Amino acid sequence: DLTVTAHFTKTPRTYDITYLDQGGSAFSGTHDEGYPTTHTYGTPTQLSTAEKDGYAFGGWFTNSGCTGNPVTTLGAAEYTENITLYAKWIRSVTFPTITPKIYNGSPQTSGLTDTDEYTVTTDNGGTDAGSYPVTLTLKDPATYIWSDGTPTAVKTVNDAFKITKAADNTITGLTIQDWTYAETAKTPSAVAKYAASGEPTYKYSTASEGTYEDTVPTAAGTYYIRAYVAETDNYNGAESSAVSFTIEKREVGIEWSATTSFTYDGEPHAPTAAATNLAGSDVVSVTVTGQQTDVGTGYTATADALDNTNYKLPSPKPTLTFSITAKPVTITGLTASNKVYDGTAVATAAGGTINGLIESDTGSVTIKSGIASFTDKNAGTGKTVSFTGYELEGAKSENYTLSAQ
């Protein structure tokens, strides 16, 4: 008899693995290195993951709808034919970068709007410079996932929206009216792009580029003003250009003295003037020009200057007409010489003194001869002599008048 022994070697069955996207379209991702392309019956096959830009990998599924649980390992005896696996892609959603807004004094929000991927749940924003939260909620957590791995559909970023400090603060329209000394100071006005209550504030100087102070000037003159806004967390400070203004001089009234006629005394004379329309306890002296010394009429006195720079004279300058009259003097000490009868009453005079001359005029005024006469032409003793027709002469003689001879 012949005995034949047969020896059989078991050949493992191998099945191809095909990879597609959900729904059956071609695979659009990238496999990890060393991913399996076949499955050997009797040996488990570990599946690798995959990647796709803008998506998260949701796993491999054996049905094109990618329902149920994902497959991570092909069982040793689970498959007996070629295998098709479907990749589930979950769109990766990145929380948007929100462009900051600049402080403008009004409430502001990020302005985000709903998209196909998420709804804007919270976007209250604010008014002041700072950071504000924004909350977004994924519309379909099964289709979308946050790119940073946030496990929930609702995502809040506390500093997502920022309002930044305004750097372009400006002040425009600075104006101030002139006023007159001793009047109430005018109130300036200006418009600041950003300002707190009570601003802008104002400072004053005597020079455009000088030192500015809070004190409002009161003296007459030309001044400069600037407007200021202080810096805050919401905006930069601001300073305006300088604007000039004038405190005008106050016009005085002029009250003349009652005396407009003076008797010659060798000194200069003119009426005096006093300033009126003065403020408070101010004292103002008036300088009068046009003083005259010698006798004359129609002289003009002028209120010419003030000693207080806060005041001014009217225009034209006030004037007043005045005169200087001659000083009365007398002649005494005239004598007559004896004579022999000649049939006339003519006498020969001698001597004589001018009484009442100003000392400084001595020598500038002399007696001009006159007529001396006896009471009659007859001879006699103790006769009375009369003196008439006497005049004065000399450089200053016009300043005197003879009141008696």
Side-chain angles (χ1 to χ4, degrees):
D1 292 330
L2 179 62
T3 301
V4 179
T5 302
H7 296 276
F8 297 92
T9 301
K10 188 174 183 180
T11 301
R13 287 171 292 175
T14 300
Y15 303 101
D16 292 331
I17 302 174
T18 300
Y19 295 97
L20 299 174
D21 277 348
Q22 182 176 0
S25 58
F27 179 66
S28 58
T30 302
H31 290 287
D32 287 350
E33 186 176 354
Y35 72 97
T37 58
T38 60
H39 169 62
T40 301
Y41 183 84
T43 301
T45 299
Q46 182 69 40
L47 299 177
S48 62
T49 61
E51 296 179 353
K52 182 179 179 179
D53 288 343
Y55 292 84
F57 181 60
W60 298 109
F61 293 82
T62 57
N63 62 86
S64 63
C66 294
T67 57
N69 296 320
V71 176
T72 58
T73 303
L74 300 178
E78 191 173 354
Y79 298 92
T80 58
E81 57 184 356
N82 291 334
I83 305 161
T84 299
L85 296 176
Y86 300 89
K88 181 176 183 179
W89 300 111
I90 301 174
R91 183 180 291 276
S92 178
V93 178
T94 300
F95 200 96
T97 298
I98 302 171
T99 302
K101 293 184 178 180
I102 300 172
Y103 171 84
N104 64 8
S106 299
Q108 299 185 89
T109 64
S110 73
L112 282 181
T113 58
D114 294 351
T115 68
D116 292 339
E117 302 162 341
Y118 56 75
T119 57
V120 181
T121 309
T122 303
D123 181 21
N124 296 326
T127 300
D128 293 333
S131 299
Y132 296 91
V134 173
T135 300
L136 305 180
T137 302
L138 295 174
K139 288 185 174 180
D140 183 3
T143 305
Y144 303 106
I145 190 172
W146 293 114
S147 60
D148 64 354
T150 299
T152 60
V154 178
K155 181 175 178 60
T156 298
V157 176
N158 289 324
D159 60 351
F161 172 55
K162 293 179 174 63
I163 297 177
T164 60
K165 184 177 184 177
D168 61 339
N169 201 3
T170 56
I171 299 175
T172 57
L174 174 58
T175 59
I176 185 171
Q177 294 181 341
D178 297 339
W179 70 89
T180 299
Y181 169 75
E183 290 181 348
T184 301
K186 301 299 183 182
T187 301
S189 64
V191 177
K193 186 171 184 178
Y194 307 113
S197 176
E199 289 184 328
T201 57
Y202 303 93
K203 292 186 178 183
Y204 304 84
S205 178
T206 56
S208 177
E209 301 302 324
T211 300
Y212 283 76
E213 299 177 348
D214 296 329
T215 304
V216 179
T218 56
T222 297
Y223 299 91
Y224 297 84
I225 184 173
R226 290 179 185 266
Y228 299 85
V229 170
E231 182 178 8
T232 69
D233 291 339
N234 289 325
Y235 47 81
N236 285 344
E239 176 181 336
S240 74
S241 299
V243 170
S244 65
F245 68 97
T246 300
I247 300 178
E248 302 287 354
K249 294 184 177 185
R250 186 183 182 98
E251 185 173 294
V252 299
I254 292 296
E255 187 176 275
W256 291 99
S257 59
T259 302
T260 59
S261 179
F262 303 89
T263 299
Y264 173 80
D265 61 4
E267 301 293 332
H269 288 282
T272 59
T276 61
N277 191 35
L278 304 183
S281 59
D282 284 356
V283 176
V284 179
S285 295
V286 182
T287 298
V288 175
T289 59
Q291 289 87 350
Q292 298 293 330
T293 302
D294 295 328
V295 169
T297 59
Y299 290 136
T300 299
T302 302
D304 193 60
L306 305 174
D307 68 349
N308 189 320
T309 56
N310 289 320
Y311 292 87
K312 66 179 180 179
L313 288 161
S315 180
K317 294 178 178 179
T319 59
L320 183 66
T321 300
F322 69 101
S323 62
I324 297 178
T325 60
K327 176 178 172 61
V329 294
T330 60
I331 298 176
T332 60
L334 287 172
T335 61
S337 301
N338 294 330
K339 76 169 189 173
V340 176
Y341 173 81
D342 61 2
T344 69
V346 175
T348 299
T353 300
I354 302 173
N355 297 311
L357 284 181
I358 304 301
E359 184 177 356
S360 61
D361 288 345
T362 302
S364 296
V365 181
T366 58
I367 299 172
K368 185 177 182 180
S369 59
I371 299 172
S373 301
F374 292 105
T375 53
D376 56 48
K377 64 181 181 179
N378 299 321
T381 59
K383 297 182 74 67
T384 299
V385 178
S386 62
F387 300 93
T388 60
Y390 278 81
E391 298 177 356
L392 301 175
E393 61 182 359
K396 292 291 185 178
S397 62
E398 296 299 326
N399 291 321
Y400 296 92
T401 182
L402 281 173
S403 60
Q405 300 181 22

